[in-house]
Amino acid sequence: MAAPKIIILGSLNGQLEPAFNKLATLHAKNNFSLAILTGDVFTSDTDDKTISALLNGSLEVPLPTYFTIGTHSLPERIATKVEAGEEICHNLHFLGKRSITKTSEGLRIVTLGGLLDTKVVGGQSKEQHLPFHTDDDAKGLKGANNADILLTSMWPANVWNGSQVVLGPTHQASIQSSQVIAELCATLKPRYHISASPDAFFYEREPFLHQSSSNTEPASVTRFISMAPYGNEAKAKAMYAFTLNKSDTTVPRGITASPFTPKKKRPRDDDEAGYSRFAPHDNNRRGRQNKRRRESLPPGPDKCYFCLSNPNISAHMCCSIGDESYITTAKGPLPTSTTFADVGLNFPGHFIIIPLPHAPTIPSMGPTSDPTSDAVKAYNEMSRFRESIQAMISAKSSHKLGVVTWEISRDRNVHLIWQLMPIPAEMIHSEIAEAAFRVEAENQKYPSFVTRELTLEEQPTFGDYFRVWLWADNGEDKIKGKSLVMPLSADTRFDLQFGRRVIAKLLGLEKRFIWQDCEQTVEEETADVEAFRDAFKAWEFTLG
């Protein structure tokens, strides 16, 4: 069976005749499988002549069309048919206020119409024609477990979180949203969540990735779309067509983390604390803690704090998500938002570049000689993120800042990451930064650094290593780029804070060496992310 072609319309508000005539014209050209009407199909002002034409068949609905209750009650004659369980007319199907429907095309549509009635303490609403639902209505639909399309009259609360799609304060203030619908969306993980805008504006959020509840559950992506009213004077988009291919598992470009992820993290024991996806790791454990760690299995993707499938993700710290990797700010950043303010940077600039595959090294993701493998694709995109951030920091600071990036590639890792941070460009041009890494390695009695690129093809046979990239651009004719690699034997004890320690000494920030002493509020972290996104716009490649 071919993937169904679907067309969505915004609130008709009683304009049934012009809407269905337009729909007939489009259907003749595109052969849609079905149509979905969002918001209010009818209003209290819908004239009786239109309703009569609909009921007697003189106003034809050109293709199977589905709708639910919006913010207005259904007209009396329509409500009578609905409550009696009768067909309204050919091709027009009332989904009910609270329902789970499977269409002839095999699409699973979960519906919750009306506004949340906060006066009702418990129980489900009874009258299908009244524009209200209860908390229990929403909670009861969670049992559907999944949906291809979730159709709601209200928006899910905070769906705009983590989005770069502008939603003006006036529009945002007009939106009626609820937490229970956000929870319903997070539970069902629909391919599309469709709603209606209260005013003349269209909103399509970037697709967002839900957290998987198990290692075997495939990634689920939702697209949230809110339609402008049909026939609005602002000519905002009120019709939207798409093909829903249920077999398509491609991760869309520009995807973000789910806006519904809880900010509050569950308490973690010391073992799990070492796997925080935003915090530098701490390997200074001794005695019973080390013994317990050796005996326990490393966390899977659902417990790894570098995996988007972890339900405890701090979504507000995600800066940009590509096809193979993503960027976050670091929790407890070494610099502050004022450290580099005098050279044009109004955020800390301490970032983590994380591959999407849950793997300890690049070679463990797949063949490094196959351009289509996860290893090559992840490495290339991570490198592109690194180079883009380097260029942005250099440009924003008028070339006064360079960038240091480091990685620890070991088979014993849980999830590979690259950390990146600005430092004065002169420290790189003068080789002070390079000397600092070499001296600290000598002080710690680690193996000596070697200057080499260590290509992707060489990595599978090279073994464990610590690598640092040093980069600076003077804006004219001098770009300094160097890669230092420290080979590590499998049994070498290595300080996971080595890179941060060196940079802290270089920047005179030794008092900020311990990341736990530098934690920020959620508001501060969010502000840093927004400042970065604003600065990164010219280099952001994931939205193209």
Side-chain angles (χ1 to χ4, degrees):
M1 181 183 294
K5 296 172 66 176
I6 303 167
I7 184 167
I8 309 169
L9 279 71
S11 293
L12 302 189
N13 292 322
Q15 301 180 77
L16 277 67
E17 184 173 357
F20 289 153
N21 288 341
K22 179 67 172 179
L23 196 54
T25 301
L26 293 173
H27 179 49
K29 296 178 180 179
N30 296 278
N31 192 28
F32 293 111
S33 304
L34 58 95
I36 297 176
L37 310 179
T38 65
D40 287 297
V41 176
F42 306 94
T43 68
S44 57
D45 298 325
T46 303
D47 63 84
D48 196 66
K49 185 184 296 185
T50 298
I51 294 175
S52 295
L54 187 67
L55 296 179
N56 65 30
S58 59
L59 175 56
E60 295 183 355
V61 182
L63 75 160
T65 301
Y66 300 85
F67 76 103
T68 184
I69 191 80
T71 60
H72 292 87
S73 300
L74 295 178
E76 183 177 351
R77 286 201 285 166
I78 301 295
T80 299
K81 282 187 169 289
V82 165
E83 295 296 341
E86 298 175 1
E87 181 184 67
I88 298 173
C89 66
H90 179 62
N91 272 343
L92 186 60
H93 307 287
F94 180 66
L95 290 167
K97 179 163 53 180
R98 179 190 67 251
S99 69
I100 303 168
T101 304
K102 189 170 185 179
T103 71
S104 58
E105 295 79 16
L107 294 180
R108 187 177 175 87
I109 303 176
V110 175
T111 306
L112 183 61
L115 303 176
L116 177 64
D117 189 346
T118 57
K119 297 177 183 178
V120 179
V121 177
Q124 296 182 339
S125 57
K126 305 298 183 184
E127 299 83 4
Q128 291 289 304
H129 65 285
L130 296 181
F132 302 101
H133 65 256
T134 68
D135 271 351
D136 284 353
D137 286 325
K139 292 175 181 177
L141 287 173
K142 291 182 179 180
N145 296 321
N146 62 79
D148 295 310
I149 296 173
L150 174 60
L151 174 63
T152 63
S153 300
M154 297 182 73
W155 281 32
N158 302 316
V159 69
W160 49 82
N161 280 359
S163 172
Q164 296 187 46
V165 179
V166 177
L167 183 63
T170 302
H171 292 327
Q172 190 167 324
S174 69
I175 294 164
Q176 299 189 73
S177 63
S178 80
Q179 184 60 35
V180 290
I181 289 181
E183 293 169 0
L184 180 62
C185 181
T187 299
L188 299 183
K189 303 179 177 68
R191 295 174 183 272
Y192 285 85
H193 186 167
I194 301 168
S195 191
S197 300
D199 294 317
F201 69 92
F202 168 82
Y203 181 82
E204 182 177 10
R205 192 199 187 283
E206 303 97 324
F208 54 88
L209 181 70
H210 293 276
Q211 309 311 309
S212 299
S213 57
S214 69
N215 295 353
T216 58
E217 182 182 340
S220 299
V221 175
T222 291
R223 292 169 169 82
F224 177 77
I225 299 169
S226 184
M227 305 301 300
Y230 182 83
N232 66 86
E233 293 183 357
K235 300 189 182 301
K237 184 181 289 188
M239 306 183 82
Y240 185 100
F242 63 95
T243 299
L244 202 161
N245 185 354
K246 298 173 69 171
S247 63
D248 185 6
T249 58
T250 304
V251 177
R253 294 181 63 83
I255 192 172
T256 76
S258 170
F260 310 131
T261 304
K263 297 294 188 297
K264 185 177 180 181
K265 297 183 179 180
R266 63 176 176 81
R268 297 175 290 163
D269 61 30
D270 289 338
D271 285 340
E272 290 179 311
Y275 302 125
S276 169
R277 64 190 286 273
F278 296 111
H281 292 201
D282 181 5
N283 69 340
N284 295 322
R285 300 189 184 89
R286 298 292 185 266
R288 292 174 61 188
Q289 288 180 317
N290 272 334
K291 181 179 180 181
R292 183 177 61 186
R293 181 173 178 177
R294 286 193 299 270
E295 292 174 349
S296 63
L297 293 173
D302 60 325
K303 291 185 178 180
C304 170
Y305 286 86
F306 296 109
C307 282
L308 290 178
S309 57
N310 187 325
N312 296 304
I313 181 178
S314 294
H316 67 283
M317 299 181 74
C318 291
C319 299
S320 179
I321 302 179
D323 295 329
E324 313 295 336
S325 58
Y326 67 106
I327 315 170
T328 74
T329 56
K331 185 169 283 294
L334 180 60
T336 70
S337 58
T338 61
T339 300
F340 304 113
D342 60 336
V343 291
L345 222 60
N346 61 344
F347 48 88
H350 188 170
F351 300 104
I352 303 177
I353 304 175
I354 306 169
L356 293 181
H358 179 69
T361 65
I362 290 290
S364 65
M365 298 176 194
T368 57
S369 58
D370 180 1
T372 65
S373 74
D374 288 345
V376 175
K377 291 190 293 185
Y379 183 82
N380 288 344
E381 188 174 85
M382 291 173 73
S383 298
R384 187 176 180 185
F385 268 132
R386 175 171 62 86
E387 291 162 1
S388 297
I389 296 174
Q390 287 173 174
M392 179 271 291
I393 288 175
S394 181
K396 292 296 180 181
S397 66
S398 299
H399 310 293
K400 293 182 176 65
L401 293 176
V403 174
V404 178
T405 307
W406 67 92
E407 67 165 324
I408 302 172
S409 178
R410 308 197 76 175
D411 288 334
R412 67 172 67 173
N413 282 352
V414 174
H415 196 132
L416 176 72
I417 65 169
W418 294 356
Q419 291 197 59
L420 180 152
M421 200 181 304
I423 65 170
E426 183 55 31
M427 288 185 174
I428 295 175
H429 288 304
S430 64
E431 300 187 347
I432 291 175
E434 178 181 347
F437 275 95
R438 292 186 182 277
V439 169
E440 189 65 26
E442 184 177 347
N443 291 342
Q444 299 295 330
K445 296 182 170 53
Y446 289 150
S448 298
F449 278 104
V450 293
T451 302
R452 61 176 296 170
E453 283 302 316
L454 188 57
T455 65
L456 183 57
E457 292 76 12
E458 294 173 325
Q459 290 185 33
T461 58
F462 191 81
D464 293 352
Y465 62 86
F466 173 87
R467 169 162 52 180
V468 57
W469 288 277
L470 303 166
W471 183 93
D473 176 10
N474 71 355
E476 296 177 0
D477 58 355
K478 186 179 180 183
I479 295 179
K480 181 84 170 184
K482 181 175 283 190
S483 169
L484 305 176
V485 180
M486 178 195 296
L488 299 172
S489 62
D491 58 352
T492 298
R493 295 176 62 86
F494 187 75
D495 179 9
L496 300 180
Q497 300 300 320
F498 179 78
R500 183 179 177 117
R501 185 186 302 277
V502 174
I503 303 300
K505 291 181 178 180
L506 279 172
L507 298 180
L509 297 174
E510 291 94 331
K511 291 182 179 180
R512 293 182 61 83
F513 168 66
I514 300 175
W515 71 266
Q516 291 93 333
D517 295 340
C518 308
E519 287 195 81
Q520 301 170 288
T521 64
V522 170
E523 291 73 21
E524 290 170 332
E525 291 168 339
T526 302
D528 286 343
V529 170
E530 292 304 319
F532 165 77
R533 286 177 175 168
D534 185 61
F536 195 56
K537 285 179 180 177
W539 293 269
E540 174 62 88
F541 59 85
T542 66
L543 302 179

